[in-house]
Amino acid sequence: MKNLDKVAPYTASITQGNLGTMTTLLAKTAISAKDSISFGEKTLLTSYVYEKNGTYQLIYTTIEIDGNIDNYVEDDGILPTLFLSPDKENYVSIIPYHPDKELEISIPIFHREDVEMPKGNRPYTGNFIGTTAACSIFHDVDFYDNKPDKILAIEFINGKLKKKNTIKVPLPANNRITISNKAIHLLANDGSLLQHREIDDKGNVTRQREIDAKGIDVLQILSSSFDKESYLLAQEKDKIIIKKIDANGASDTIELAVFADPFFNTWQPVQIADDTFVTRFNSEFGNGWLTTKNDQLLELFYSKGEQGYRNLLTNELLPIPRDNLVIASINKTTDHAYAVVLYPMTDDQAANAELIVLNRRLQ
């Protein structure tokens, strides 16, 4: 396959601030953010960049911690899903144009000169979770039905993608998922109990237990283990809490912050260092992200009532002079550092032409 060509679809500017470095990408007509992921110590961002006639190109943008960028254009493919191989090589699943059918291929983003065009598969709709020793793992769950969850395991041998296996996870359904020490951990509410299971990348249950979490509805797994403490993110009345579970299954509740607005959604936590995770959320009144280390809250940024984001722990404001900012994605860069991809929401008559990437390092 042909390697990607460099392009220059944006006008870029960089702003340094007390809370991070912001890179603003401005397209001539319109831009739509799709996904981002770690690329070594950089961010790799995918987006559609539109022309005035309505056509668009799939653009990959690499963003350094200091805000500098490079851009590359995909020759043939849409609907990008970014993931890492077990060797931390950056891959993408895309759908090349075909007049009669839509089939997805998974290929490395860079260094394609020795890669042959693979056969396509039916597109998979799940989210990339992480990697085991041999596989890249995706999870597909519909929290509004009780059908078994599905896992896609993309197997690599000697650094090369070999095959894709779709696995139905035994009930219960609607699992939260994480990968810890190369093992897949699942957690599902079952009344007042939590079903905690460890499975391998073929779907076999290797360990399981029941935990009495006193009816807490778990939002996300921060960390999970059968042999030491697990930390689960939840919200209870007007508080953000951590549910701490020890190796014997005993639970303890730690209050992180008073936060009266119910979360509408939370997203898969992004690990940025040992026991340290960034979790994004939204509510009726805005969106934001919080950073935790075990049962400690390190920062809590929220957009409610602000042009930008205020850290509710320190009252510091990250000023971004835009209304109705949307968080497209968050990814790790280096240890204790991360990037937040944002864009201003527009109405149906106005196309967004701007992306903002905040690079931040914990103090």
Side-chain angles (χ1 to χ4, degrees):
M1 295 183 67
K2 176 179 172 293
N3 284 326
L4 300 175
D5 292 324
K6 272 194 172 184
V7 291
Y10 308 121
T11 300
S13 60
I14 301 171
T15 304
Q16 303 284 350
N18 292 334
L19 296 178
T21 300
M22 281 192 290
T23 302
T24 301
L25 307 177
L26 190 63
K28 292 180 180 178
T29 302
I31 185 174
S32 175
K34 295 302 171 187
D35 199 2
S36 74
I37 200 169
S38 297
F39 174 53
E41 296 187 347
K42 306 178 187 179
T43 291
L44 175 64
L45 168 69
T46 54
S47 55
Y48 293 161
V49 177
Y50 290 83
E51 302 292 339
K52 290 183 178 179
N53 62 8
T55 62
Y56 62 87
Q57 290 182 309
L58 170 56
I59 302 295
Y60 304 102
T61 302
T62 62
I63 304 144
E64 298 185 34
I65 293 175
D66 63 7
N68 289 312
I69 68 169
D70 285 305
N71 301 288
Y72 307 83
V73 62
E74 182 61 70
D75 288 334
D76 182 16
I78 60 171
L79 299 176
T81 299
L82 298 173
F83 66 100
L84 296 172
S85 74
D87 292 335
K88 305 304 180 187
E89 185 176 0
N90 287 85
Y91 271 71
V92 65
S93 294
I94 53 173
I95 300 176
Y97 171 75
H98 191 283
D100 301 319
K101 54 189 176 182
E102 290 188 349
L103 293 177
E104 181 181 82
I105 62 171
S106 298
I107 52 177
I109 294 178
F110 302 107
H111 310 299
R112 297 180 179 178
E113 60 274 9
D114 295 326
V115 176
E116 295 183 4
M117 175 68 77
K119 293 181 180 180
N121 307 99
R122 291 178 58 187
Y124 184 83
T125 58
N127 298 313
F128 174 59
I129 303 301
T131 61
T132 63
C135 295
S136 301
I137 302 296
F138 291 75
H139 180 226
D140 186 17
V141 58
D142 185 345
F143 286 101
Y144 297 100
D145 67 23
N146 200 40
K147 295 179 181 178
D149 298 2
K150 293 180 181 178
I151 284 178
L152 174 67
I154 302 179
E155 184 178 0
F156 287 77
I157 298 177
N158 296 326
K160 304 294 183 182
L161 194 158
K162 291 301 180 182
K163 60 181 178 180
K164 299 181 178 182
N165 300 309
T166 301
I167 301 157
K168 283 188 177 181
V169 177
L171 292 172
N174 301 334
N175 288 268
R176 299 298 182 185
I177 185 171
T178 192
I179 295 178
S180 178
N181 295 323
K182 304 300 182 181
I184 303 166
H185 288 252
L186 303 171
L187 201 65
N189 282 96
D190 185 11
S192 64
L193 297 177
L194 293 172
Q195 299 289 340
H196 179 197
R197 293 176 291 171
E198 182 182 284
I199 65 172
D200 61 22
D201 49 29
K202 296 185 172 49
N204 301 308
V205 177
T206 54
R207 302 175 78 176
Q208 60 183 0
R209 63 175 175 170
E210 290 184 344
I211 300 168
D212 184 1
K214 300 178 176 62
I216 291 292
D217 185 17
V218 175
L219 297 175
Q220 296 292 340
I221 303 172
L222 297 171
S223 61
S224 184
S225 174
F226 281 85
D227 305 311
K228 59 181 183 178
E229 288 80 9
S230 300
Y231 296 89
L232 314 175
L233 181 68
Q235 196 172 22
E236 188 177 55
K237 296 180 181 178
D238 60 349
K239 295 180 176 66
I240 302 171
I241 66 171
I242 290 287
K243 204 71 176 177
K244 179 180 177 181
I245 313 295
D246 69 18
N248 297 318
S251 63
D252 189 20
T253 299
I254 297 98
E255 296 180 1
L256 294 184
V258 174
F259 194 87
D261 301 339
F263 290 157
F264 281 178
N265 300 286
T266 58
W267 280 259
Q268 184 83 18
V270 176
Q271 185 171 8
I272 62 169
D274 288 344
D275 305 316
T276 306
F277 295 83
V278 181
T279 306
R280 65 179 168 119
F281 63 86
N282 63 15
S283 74
E284 180 182 359
F285 306 105
N287 57 53
W289 66 93
L290 57 92
T291 304
T292 53
K293 181 174 183 179
N294 291 329
D295 57 4
Q296 301 175 49
L297 182 61
L298 303 183
E299 55 183 13
L300 172 55
F301 284 92
Y302 193 27
S303 67
K304 181 180 178 180
E306 307 287 357
Q307 278 199 327
Y309 293 84
R310 187 173 296 277
N311 184 354
L312 300 184
L313 299 191
T314 63
N315 205 37
E316 294 173 286
L317 178 65
L318 173 69
I320 305 176
R322 307 288 187 276
D323 292 318
N324 300 320
L325 284 164
V326 177
I327 301 174
S329 56
I330 296 177
N331 60 267
K332 177 184 176 180
T333 51
T334 64
D335 279 351
H336 302 99
Y338 59 90
V340 184
V341 181
L342 307 129
Y343 63 89
M345 184 183 295
T346 56
D347 59 31
D348 292 340
Q349 282 71 44
N352 174 53
E354 185 180 48
L355 292 181
I356 300 166
V357 182
L358 167 70
N359 269 288
R360 173 164 167 76
R361 178 182 293 276
L362 295 183
Q363 300 302 317

